[in-house]
Amino acid sequence: MKGLFDLHYDFKKIEEKWQRIWEENRVFATGNDYTKPKYYALVEFPYPSGQGLHVGHPRPYTALDIVARKRRMQGYNVLFPMGWDAFGLPTENYAIKNHIHPEKVTKQNVARFKSQLRSLGLSFDWEREVNTTDPDYYKWTQWIFIQMFKKGLAYKKEMAVNWCTSCKVVLANEEVVGGVCERCGGEVVRKVKSQWMLKITEYAQRLIDDLADVDYIDRVKASQINWIGRSTGAEILFDTTFGDQLKIYTTRPDTLYGATYMVISPEHPALQTWSGVIENMNEVRAYQEAASRKSDFERAEVNKDKTGVMLQGVRAVNPVNGREIPIFISDYVLMTYGTGAIMAVPAHDTRDYEFAKKFDLAVVEVVKGGDVEKEAFTDCETGVMVNSGMLDGLTVEEAKKKIISWLQETGKGEPKVNYKLRDWVFSRQRYWGEPIPMVYCDKCGWVPLDEHELPLRLPEVESYEPTDDGESPLATMTDFVNTTCPKCGAPAKRETDTMPQWAGSSWYYLRYCDPHNDKTLASREALDYWLPVDWYNGGMEHTTLHLLYSRFWHKFLYDIGVVGTKEPYAKRTSHGMILGEGGIKMSKSKGNVVNPDDIVNEYGADTLRLYEMFIGDFEKVAPWSNSSIKGCKRFLDRVWGLQDIVTDGEGYSDRLEGAFHKTIKKVSEDIEGLKFNTAIAAMMSLLNEISDAGAITRGELRTFLILLNPFAPHITEEIYQNVGLSGMLHEQAWAEYDSEKCVDATVEMAVQINGKLRGRIVVAADAGKDEIIRLAKEDEKIAQFIEGKQLVKEICVPGKLVNFVVKG
RNA sequence: GCCGCUGUGGUGGAAUCGGCAGACACAAGGGACUUAAAAUCCCUGGCUGGAAACAGUGUGCGGGUUCAAGUCCCGCCAGCGGCACCA
């Protein structure tokens, strides 16, 4: 005999069947009807690594797949594309090791990823697939670079790079872990090379300001603002005894009277200027030498002792009181921020304090409120100025204003805004990246290729390894390197560095709008229709690099008239990582990696999708659990069993009508609010109610399937067909609810005495306060508690509770 | 040090504006079905006491506001992520 819910459904057959039907009917191909309302849902395209899909990938993909499927049912023209961010080091390293062309490796990896993604039933429009390593794609990456060069935003500069002394190779910052080479563990030092740079700093203020116009989750906005690191202060000129001037930047111009010495970076150019008068130049040179040998990691170690050398023969003059003060060089002052020189105010800066204590320098208190005998007093809120001449008695804020206007009047300084954000180092001495389309001509300097010569393809090379002196493998290709100047025709040499991995991903969302266009990166018509991306979800780890870089490129493209919106993404959300069982990060070495293929084989794609959405708060990390996933499979088995109890009838039954309206509301709202877990819980509750009722009408089942379809698209489509409903499920309109029907006729209310739960009453939903209180007092138990006592207060929140405050 | 997040049963996690803490699931225990197991179905469950009704207690810790606090305020503690000598 067949029980009600004891069927296990054949997910393998069903999932393959529907994936085939969707593909053959081009069900998820994006519509080109620009008169329809549009919705652009975007997930970050993956790097197709050799390991295949990780169980973390489906979490964001499923989430936005749910949104995309719901939007289609709501009548939108939906763009939900996918592609490959395929340039990058792991592929290149694999190619070096195994002597296989990275293009071939990429092709294999993409094929694997694609079949894995297909098996999950994600509704991507594969006709719009893009690949950053495709010359038809990177042609436009190169084109954008050339536009930036033409506008002066791309320039070449001598830069320190990370150099692995053992691999003899330039490393990206990400490859330097804990100060050593990620691959071989060798020592990493800084080496100066000429690098292409992009002037993202020119957009720093706009990248902050325009965050006001977009709907990003707060933590994303906060870390971008933090990363850009805007600070306001002043630049101040100090005369020197040499006869020139030294410019410093400070955020605390109010403490100028407390500046008792100065510090400049070991790389500061003034040292060259003063070399004739510095008496201890040997000592200075030795310090410079030592600093340059140090890795960035060593130099940045916070807790290390401050070191430095006092310059003999040159001193500075504090402009506000004419006092001569010593100048030091120390590596705690960075050449890359501000002016590479500071005024040191030990009384009110912890680093200066530490330095002053070590070198026994004067500490002059100029802001009262702390104890500068013990530690630096850095509070700007409460302090009052002392020992500061014209500033005495003012608050810190007042003093800042006053000293800045004094500096401006006397020509000794001016207000200044600084950013921590640095220009983007855009060169990599690597093979597997977009070639930089530039030529160096002895006469003309750096000249971009003619645009009609794009794409500049990656040439075939024999070895992908960088050369011994850290040049890209392209540097050994004389056929590639030797060319003629696009401007004057003289013999010239090509740039042999390639672009970083972040290049191709900085504009890919634009290409999806019109991926096969060979005239422009995308037609203006398509861009105007689809932009901005309505909802972009991606990892927090991309907040300060990819997300910021792509906003920067978009703003540039806006400035030159390629796109019509200031911002690329209207909304940005971020998912939490999926950890291994027990909350430990999944890793090969720990052997706790879950392969999505195994889960799909054992439970089916619908169960995997459902579980990844049910696992917890979408925005937080969640530990994988092999037993919890069974609950989701069980749920789908029970949904499958609904076919056994379906009855004729297209309307709602009296018993379930309210529950259905409530669930439609809950699921609809929860999807918008990233609360996929509670949306599923609501559907589970509804199923429990249906089970108790023992029957479901075909109309009710139809509604249930519509709600569940975005989460579990295969099984719902199959049941829909099995019970003889017309058309295909994904074509149906999203379910509507009636707010009035979400309210029950009667409600159970809690009755409290002095805030403690003492009883319950059932009242009509529309009962008034007086009536509720009357009914509560009539309750036997409550009456006992009130009897003989003084009723001080009666609180009634209709629909929730009653609270009697009694005394005595 | 700075920025952000988190702390709720055995576990994952729920809980609009302050309004019945623990929804929904997992695991566990008991029962039904079965020759048996699996699967499925039913029941129980924060903790303490009690056979039970019930009472007390309970959301990292200490205070406070309120008729009412997981939620708001003040002060701590612990953990996670990111940045880090940015003047």
Side-chain angles (χ1 to χ4, degrees):
Chain A
M1 200 182 101
K2 195 162 80 173
L4 280 186
F5 296 126
D6 61 359
L7 261 161
H8 292 269
Y9 74 105
D10 186 351
F11 56 82
K12 275 202 175 116
K13 209 168 120 193
I14 291 170
E15 290 177 358
E16 271 162 30
K17 170 184 163 184
W18 286 100
Q19 282 162 20
R20 206 187 59 239
I21 291 174
W22 295 333
E23 201 171 322
E24 281 170 2
N25 293 287
R26 301 182 57 230
V27 159
F28 303 118
T30 313
N32 282 318
D33 179 0
Y34 288 179
T35 61
K36 273 176 86 178
K38 66 96 182 180
Y39 199 87
Y40 189 172
L42 183 65
V43 289
E44 286 173 346
F45 62 164
Y47 173 69
S49 71
Q51 281 90 50
L53 210 63
H54 181 271
V55 84
H57 284 111
R59 197 183 197 194
Y61 299 166
T62 306
L64 281 229
D65 187 47
I66 288 166
V67 172
R69 285 173 180 273
K70 183 182 173 217
R71 286 288 181 279
R72 288 194 199 95
M73 292 172 114
Q74 288 173 315
Y76 287 88
N77 187 18
V78 170
L79 174 54
F80 184 48
M82 188 37 110
W84 315 104
D85 189 14
F87 277 128
L89 275 169
T91 302
E92 181 163 342
N93 289 339
Y94 184 89
I96 291 170
K97 208 169 153 191
N98 300 286
H99 306 287
I100 304 177
H101 197 292
E103 197 178 304
K104 208 174 157 189
V105 180
T106 300
K107 212 170 241 171
Q108 288 166 3
N109 291 350
V110 163
R112 167 111 189 270
F113 261 73
K114 200 166 165 179
S115 81
Q116 288 183 300
L117 289 179
R118 277 173 197 250
S119 78
L120 296 175
L122 298 160
S123 65
F124 294 127
D125 176 2
W126 287 107
E127 293 170 26
R128 291 182 181 235
E129 176 180 353
V130 303
N131 185 326
T132 55
T133 66
D134 180 350
D136 289 337
Y137 180 92
Y138 70 65
K139 170 180 179 175
W140 299 107
T141 312
Q142 293 172 331
W143 181 85
I144 295 169
F145 179 87
I146 290 175
Q147 308 315 307
M148 288 199 158
F149 177 80
K150 287 179 175 170
K151 295 284 173 187
L153 290 170
Y155 62 98
K156 244 195 162 179
K157 190 189 169 189
E158 291 280 313
M159 271 286 300
V161 294
N162 302 304
W163 174 255
C164 172
T165 49
S166 141
C167 304
K168 292 194 167 41
V169 121
V170 172
L171 301 177
N173 282 331
E174 304 81 58
E175 294 175 283
V176 184
V177 177
V180 299
C181 174
E182 181 191 43
R183 285 193 300 170
C184 73
E187 192 196 354
V188 177
V189 296
R190 291 173 316 138
K191 188 173 169 136
V192 172
K193 286 189 76 75
S194 181
Q195 306 275 310
W196 283 100
M197 308 283 290
L198 296 185
K199 251 187 219 169
I200 189 171
T201 51
E202 195 150 294
Y203 283 74
Q205 192 60 48
R206 284 167 67 188
L207 288 167
I208 295 174
D209 292 344
D210 292 349
L211 283 175
D213 304 328
V214 291
D215 175 23
Y216 289 7
I217 51 172
D218 288 343
R219 58 196 169 121
V220 169
K221 281 192 186 181
S223 42
Q224 289 213 342
I225 289 168
N226 206 30
W227 183 261
I228 295 168
R230 182 182 200 269
S231 74
T232 56
E235 281 186 345
I236 302 175
L237 288 166
F238 282 65
D239 291 331
T240 70
T241 54
F242 179 79
D244 61 354
Q245 289 182 314
L246 189 56
K247 192 196 265 180
I248 63 100
Y249 171 72
T250 179
T251 56
R252 295 294 303 274
D254 53 296
T255 61
L256 184 51
Y257 283 88
T260 51
Y261 61 95
M262 307 194 71
V263 187
I264 64 176
S265 160
E267 297 89 10
H268 199 284
L271 291 166
Q272 196 53 43
T273 318
W274 300 335
S275 57
V277 295
I278 296 175
E279 293 151 19
N280 57 340
M281 204 58 201
N282 285 345
E283 206 185 341
V284 169
R285 287 259 149 79
Y287 190 84
Q288 285 179 308
E289 182 73 10
S292 77
R293 267 203 312 273
K294 277 187 197 170
S295 67
D296 279 350
F297 181 75
E298 280 176 294
R299 245 184 105 157
E301 260 184 307
V302 182
N303 292 328
K304 69 160 202 231
D305 272 356
K306 297 268 183 290
T307 58
V309 175
M310 198 204 292
L311 303 184
Q312 309 289 342
V314 190
R315 288 166 76 83
V317 180
N318 189 331
V320 81
N321 56 19
R323 274 190 208 138
E324 268 191 26
I325 54 177
I327 303 172
F328 285 79
I329 59 169
S330 174
D331 62 6
Y332 83 90
V333 173
L334 310 173
M335 198 55 226
T336 46
Y337 185 78
T339 62
I342 62 159
M343 66 176 200
V345 185
H348 306 288
D349 181 282
T350 47
R351 294 151 306 182
D352 297 345
Y353 191 87
E354 197 187 318
F355 191 88
K357 285 291 159 193
K358 179 155 177 188
F359 288 86
D360 202 20
L361 297 157
V363 177
V364 176
E365 181 181 53
V366 289
V367 185
K368 217 179 155 90
D371 181 1
V372 300
E373 294 298 309
K374 291 206 184 97
E375 59 178 6
F377 177 64
T378 56
D379 189 355
C380 294
E381 309 274 308
T382 59
V384 177
M385 306 308 298
V386 292
N387 301 326
S388 292
M390 60 174 146
L391 303 179
D392 281 348
L394 299 180
T395 66
V396 167
E397 279 314 304
E398 291 164 347
K400 277 183 184 170
K401 276 185 202 142
K402 185 159 183 183
I403 194 72
I404 286 174
S405 43
W406 180 84
L407 288 166
Q408 281 178 294
E409 279 162 28
T410 55
K412 287 176 178 167
E414 55 188 8
K416 171 82 182 172
V417 172
N418 255 317
Y419 302 91
K420 286 187 204 172
L421 186 70
R422 309 287 162 80
D423 278 342
W424 176 3
V425 183
F426 202 69
S427 309
R428 298 289 183 273
Q429 290 70 38
R430 292 287 180 165
Y431 175 76
W432 195 228
E434 299 88 344
I436 294 175
M438 300 293 296
V439 170
Y440 187 77
C441 168
D442 285 337
K443 265 184 270 172
C444 311
W446 284 105
V447 181
L449 289 192
D450 278 340
E451 286 166 24
H452 67 260
E453 283 187 41
L454 299 180
L456 172 60
R457 288 168 183 268
L458 267 175
E460 296 294 322
V461 296
E462 277 168 27
S463 157
Y464 309 108
E465 304 201 35
T467 65
D468 282 350
D469 56 0
E471 293 298 322
S472 152
L474 300 185
T476 60
M477 299 279 304
T478 47
D479 288 354
F480 175 79
V481 174
N482 293 323
T483 183
T484 52
C485 173
K487 206 162 159 187
C488 72
K493 288 188 188 307
R494 285 188 202 280
E495 172 61 61
T496 58
D497 285 355
T498 54
M499 299 186 193
Q501 176 158 30
W502 309 109
S505 60
S506 291
W507 70 282
Y508 74 114
Y509 59 95
L510 300 175
R511 189 63 176 171
Y512 285 139
C513 297
D514 189 10
H516 309 296
N517 196 318
D518 59 359
K519 304 280 188 300
T520 71
L521 57 83
S523 79
R524 186 61 194 260
E525 193 196 7
L527 293 173
D528 283 346
Y529 176 68
W530 287 113
L531 291 178
V533 173
D534 293 282
W535 188 338
Y536 187 24
N537 184 84
M540 269 317 277
E541 70 274 22
H542 293 130
T543 303
T544 49
L545 298 174
H546 159 66
L547 195 64
L548 203 61
Y549 291 155
S550 61
R551 288 183 62 219
F552 160 48
W553 277 36
H554 190 93
K555 285 182 182 306
F556 168 70
L557 293 171
Y558 172 78
D559 289 349
I560 63 169
V562 174
V563 297
T565 62
K566 285 185 185 173
E567 284 286 333
Y569 320 114
K571 171 174 178 165
R572 169 78 178 188
T573 56
S574 218
H575 56 275
M577 222 193 332
I578 292 198
L579 303 173
E581 202 123 9
I584 327 146
K585 202 171 164 176
M586 280 189 198
S587 74
K588 256 199 240 167
S589 58
K590 292 204 186 75
N592 62 348
V593 177
V594 177
N595 183 344
D597 293 345
D598 296 341
I599 305 298
V600 170
N601 273 326
E602 197 176 344
Y603 299 100
D606 283 335
T607 297
L608 175 61
R609 293 169 59 111
L610 200 67
Y611 175 59
E612 295 221 5
M613 293 298 99
F614 186 63
I615 194 167
D617 185 332
F618 181 68
E619 299 198 68
K620 292 184 193 135
V621 296
W624 182 268
S625 162
N626 278 320
S627 50
S628 280
I629 193 170
K630 288 181 191 151
C632 291
K633 176 61 165 54
R634 232 170 258 166
F635 170 70
L636 291 180
D637 282 334
R638 293 177 66 207
V639 170
W640 182 252
L642 289 177
Q643 295 176 83
D644 294 338
I645 58 165
V646 68
T647 62
D648 286 338
E650 305 312 315
Y652 287 114
S653 60
D654 289 348
R655 177 159 178 184
L656 294 172
E657 183 168 28
F660 263 96
H661 282 279
K662 277 188 248 179
T663 310
I664 296 169
K665 181 171 196 277
K666 177 85 178 145
V667 173
S668 303
E669 290 173 357
D670 280 359
I671 290 174
E672 302 306 318
L674 291 172
K675 292 175 166 278
F676 305 103
N677 53 339
T678 50
I680 293 167
M683 289 188 277
M684 286 174 167
S685 292
L686 179 58
L687 179 65
N688 289 343
E689 286 193 52
I690 295 166
S691 284
D692 290 346
I696 183 171
T697 68
R698 197 191 332 276
E700 286 167 341
L701 180 57
R702 181 174 180 277
T703 301
F704 192 91
L705 295 173
I706 287 171
L707 293 181
L708 184 58
N709 177 258
F711 296 83
H714 312 87
I715 185 177
T716 47
E717 197 79 73
E718 179 74 12
I719 297 172
Y720 188 86
Q721 190 180 59
N722 281 351
V723 297
L725 287 158
S726 65
M728 286 206 268
L729 179 53
H730 67 264
E731 298 166 342
Q732 307 306 309
W734 186 249
E736 300 287 336
Y737 63 90
D738 181 344
S739 324
E740 283 178 23
K741 292 191 170 148
C742 293
V743 186
D744 293 322
T746 58
V747 284
E748 192 185 59
M749 286 178 58
V751 184
Q752 299 178 334
I753 305 289
N754 289 343
K756 271 189 184 153
L757 183 68
R758 295 299 182 188
R760 294 170 182 288
I761 53 169
V762 176
V763 298
D766 57 357
K769 281 192 186 186
D770 292 345
E771 194 190 347
I772 294 168
I773 288 173
R774 185 176 57 78
L775 287 167
K777 283 179 183 164
E778 279 172 14
D779 185 88
E780 251 179 66
K781 263 190 76 181
I782 300 303
Q784 282 173 20
F785 276 100
I786 298 176
E787 207 181 292
K789 291 179 180 157
Q790 188 196 350
L791 195 53
V792 183
K793 206 167 181 180
E794 298 169 349
I795 291 117
C796 176
V797 185
K800 299 276 184 189
L801 54 66
V802 178
N803 188 13
F804 295 118
V805 184
V806 296
K807 241 192 194 165

